Amino acid sequence: GTALPARWAQTAPVQNGLAWTQRASPGPSARYSGVLAYDALRGVSVLFGGFTTVVLNDTWEWDGSGWTARAPVASPSARRNHQMVYDPVRQRVVLFGGFTTAYVNDTWEYDGNTWTNRTPGTSPSIRSHSDLVYDSARNRTVLFGGWNGANLGETWEWVTPSTIAEMILSLYLLQQKLGSGNASDSRG
């Protein structure tokens, strides 16, 4: 028979055309409770944080063939059980909450070069283990639930400046459309 390339040596038996393939590549240390989000613009999966024997705050990127350690000028504090999702409109990975030595409720954004701490006027309470998704129909990030010593059942939406700008533009265009036939319009 024909020998398979070494990278296929760990492929599980295929059933219904589906299989996991283990990729051998040096990269981040073994860990749990770190989080991955796929950055569609740059074509990389971004890994942040997690836990080994200590809580981590490292940033790594997987491009499909290898891991690259990133060294952003600014980064969130070490944490685990946080959440991340990619916002394709703003082209940023959004990170929320998690557990350091205590529960946190900070919001960070990663643009592929550095992490930026966002300080919204209103924010969900401290929590870890929440669910975070990007709602592409409404161009916003949605957070649900979590844990801060008790189960949480709240729903929050991350409304960003570009989202607000899009809403203002939509309202302006609607006003222009509706106002064009208005007899009190002084523009003639």
Side-chain angles (χ1 to χ4, degrees), residues 89-110:
V89 172
R90 300 190 59 250
Q91 302 172 346
R92 305 274 189 278
V93 171
V94 178
L95 178 151
F96 180 81
F99 188 84
T100 57
T101 56
Y103 297 103
V104 293
N105 69 334
D106 50 351
T107 303
W108 289 79
E109 292 181 332
Y110 179 67

Side-chain angles (χ1 to χ4, degrees), residues 4-49:
L4 293 174
R7 71 175 185 260
W8 296 101
Q10 296 296 317
T11 301
V14 176
Q15 292 183 331
N16 301 324
L18 304 173
W20 282 94
T21 303
Q22 183 177 6
R23 303 296 301 268
S25 177
S29 61
R31 67 190 65 204
Y32 65 94
S33 298
V35 178
L36 277 170
Y38 182 70
D39 180 331
L41 176 69
R42 297 181 314 110
V44 296
S45 295
V46 178
L47 170 68
F48 183 82

